[in-house]
């Protein structure tokens, strides 16, 4: 009977070579991405950019048309002016309030520095208006436009955001809410007031939001953990409530990766 002997050495050598070569390639990629002078990262400059505004509340009715523009803004966070992206100049974008079973037209324009779409998250609508690239539509180029027909068949809180480079565009502020009022007035318990909140985080490094590669998504699950928390785009969000007032809060986690532990002190 012939005896066979296993030789682990070629396998071990192959693994070592793979790890060493892989590490070398990763170092080269990381170096290119962090070297902003090479043009491989999105600009962080705030020169000439308009200041981000507080979001407006927009009330639409069935058949209405609304213009929504994604653009580049600057925003002060922890005393530093940083470049961000906004819908209609605000972070978060406008709160769009609509009645259930209505349909509205959204004329969308891309004035950012990256291709984009408008995805109405959780909203049941026609497939061609879902905003998922290469599945329901082509990316909207910089300077391009697209008209969306959005049907709101269900009551509740939903949100809108891009479906292109979410790690960059959504992380920098492209998100906003829809609030769909139910046709059945007894659908929710009565309250004195409703407050919509977005929860997000951003990663600040050297008084700027950490750079993003233009060439690739390089973060797990298309996102990264931030070191600065934002509620409705603010680090020190406050809300005043009167004694005995009943307030309904709607919370949307717009962060790409983080899960939040939310509490109201007292």
């Amino acid at each position: 009977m012939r005896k066979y002997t296993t030789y682990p050495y070629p396998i071990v050598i192959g693994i070592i070579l793979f790890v060493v070569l892989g590490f070398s390639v990763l170092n080269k990629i990381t170096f290119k991405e962090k070297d902003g002078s090479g043009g491989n990262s999105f600009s962080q400059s705030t020169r000439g950019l308009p200041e981000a505004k507080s979001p407006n509340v927009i009330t639409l009715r069935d058949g209405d048309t609304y213009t929504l523009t994604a653009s580049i803004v600057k925003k002060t966070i922890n005393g530093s002016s940083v470049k961000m992206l906004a819908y209609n100049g605000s972070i978060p974008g406008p709160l769009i309030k609509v009645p259930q079973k209505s349909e509205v037209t959204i004329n969308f324009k891309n004035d950012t520095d990256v291709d984009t779409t408008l995805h109405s998250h959780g909203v049941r609508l026609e497939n061609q208006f879902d905003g998922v690239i290469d599945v329901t539509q082509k990316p909207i180029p910089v300077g391009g436009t697209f008209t969306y027909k959005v049907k709101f068949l269900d009551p509740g809180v939903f949100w809108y955001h891009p479906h292109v480079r979410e790690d960059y565009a959504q992380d920098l502020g492209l998100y906003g809410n829809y609030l769909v009022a139910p046709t059945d007035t007894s659908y929710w318990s009565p309250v004195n007031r409703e407050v919509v909140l977005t929860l997000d985080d951003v990663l600040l490094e050297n008084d700027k939001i950490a750079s993003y590669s233009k060439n690739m998504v390089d973060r797990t699950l298309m996102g990264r953990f931030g070191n600065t928390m934002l509620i409705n785009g603010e680090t020190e969000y406050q809300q005043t409530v009167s004694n005995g007032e009943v307030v309904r809060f709607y919370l949307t986690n717009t962060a790409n990766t983080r899960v939040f532990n939310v509490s109201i002190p007292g």
Side-chain angles (χ1 to χ4, degrees), residues 84-101:
M84 297 189 74
L85 304 179
Y87 287 121
N88 283 8
S90 69
I91 301 172
L95 170 61
I96 300 175
K97 301 179 72 172
V98 293
Q100 184 185 358
K101 297 183 180 179

Side-chain angles (χ1 to χ4, degrees), residues 17 19 24 39 47 88 93 98 109 111 163-164 169 173 176 185 193 196 204 212 214 219 240 257:
L17 285 172
V19 171
S24 175
R47 183 177 299 175
N88 283 8
V98 293
K109 184 178 181 184
D111 280 343
H163 240 306
V164 182
T185 56
R193 190 153 49 99
V196 178
L204 295 181
Y212 305 82
K214 286 183 178 180
R219 302 287 178 170
T240 301
T257 299

Side-chain angles (χ1 to χ4, degrees), residues 8-254:
Y9 305 108
I11 298 174
V12 172
I13 292 171
I15 292 174
I16 292 173
L17 285 172
F18 177 78
V19 171
V20 170
L21 289 173
F23 183 73
S24 175
V25 170
L26 284 174
N27 274 339
K28 290 180 182 178
I29 292 174
T30 302
F31 177 78
K32 283 182 64 180
E33 290 167 357
K34 290 185 176 179
D35 181 12
S37 63
N40 295 300
S41 299
F42 286 99
S43 170
Q44 296 173 305
S45 174
T46 59
R47 183 177 299 175
L49 297 178
E51 193 76 35
K53 304 178 297 185
S54 298
N56 292 322
V57 177
I58 305 298
T59 301
L60 301 178
R61 297 183 178 181
D62 184 34
D64 281 353
T65 297
Y66 182 63
T67 298
L68 190 68
T69 300
S71 63
I72 308 172
V73 298
K74 63 181 177 182
K75 184 173 177 62
T76 301
I77 299 179
N78 289 344
S80 299
S81 182
V82 298
K83 170 203 169 181
M84 297 189 74
L85 304 179
Y87 287 121
N88 283 8
S90 69
I91 301 172
L95 170 61
I96 300 175
K97 301 179 72 172
V98 293
Q100 184 185 358
K101 297 183 180 179
S102 63
E103 177 178 306
V104 301
T105 299
I106 296 180
N107 292 326
F108 180 79
K109 184 178 181 184
N110 180 16
D111 280 343
T112 68
D113 52 1
V114 67
D115 289 355
T116 194
T117 60
L118 185 72
H119 173 65
S120 297
H121 194 111
V123 179
R124 292 190 293 145
L125 38 62
E126 293 182 26
N127 201 47
Q128 61 183 314
F129 303 122
D130 195 41
V132 180
I133 60 167
D134 296 327
V135 177
T136 64
Q137 73 170 100
K138 296 294 183 182
I140 304 169
V142 175
T145 61
F146 191 89
T147 299
Y148 292 91
K149 300 282 188 179
V150 187
K151 296 179 180 179
F152 297 96
L153 302 178
D154 307 296
V157 64
F158 305 93
W159 64 302
Y160 54 91
H161 62 87
H163 240 306
V164 182
R165 286 301 303 266
E166 297 98 312
D167 67 307
Y168 167 67
Q170 182 177 305
D171 199 38
L172 277 192
L174 287 187
Y175 49 81
N177 277 113
Y178 299 116
L179 184 56
V180 185
T183 53
D184 179 3
T185 56
S186 63
Y187 184 83
W188 286 316
S189 300
V191 294
N192 299 109
R193 190 153 49 99
E194 296 180 313
V195 176
V196 178
L197 301 177
T198 58
L199 310 178
D200 196 16
D201 63 345
V202 291
L203 179 61
L204 295 181
E205 294 180 347
N206 300 320
D207 297 328
K208 296 182 182 295
I209 295 180
S211 63
Y212 305 82
S213 168
K214 286 183 178 180
N215 304 322
M216 61 183 293
V217 177
D218 59 352
R219 302 287 178 170
T220 304
L221 295 178
M222 298 189 297
R224 64 190 182 192
F225 286 100
N227 54 16
T228 304
M229 308 302 147
L230 302 176
I231 299 178
N232 277 15
E234 303 297 330
T235 55
E236 299 292 337
Y237 177 84
Q238 294 185 356
Q239 183 68 233
T240 301
V241 179
S242 302
N243 186 26
E245 185 181 17
V246 180
V247 179
R248 176 181 293 119
F249 289 94
Y250 300 92
L251 281 70
T252 304
N253 181 356
T254 65

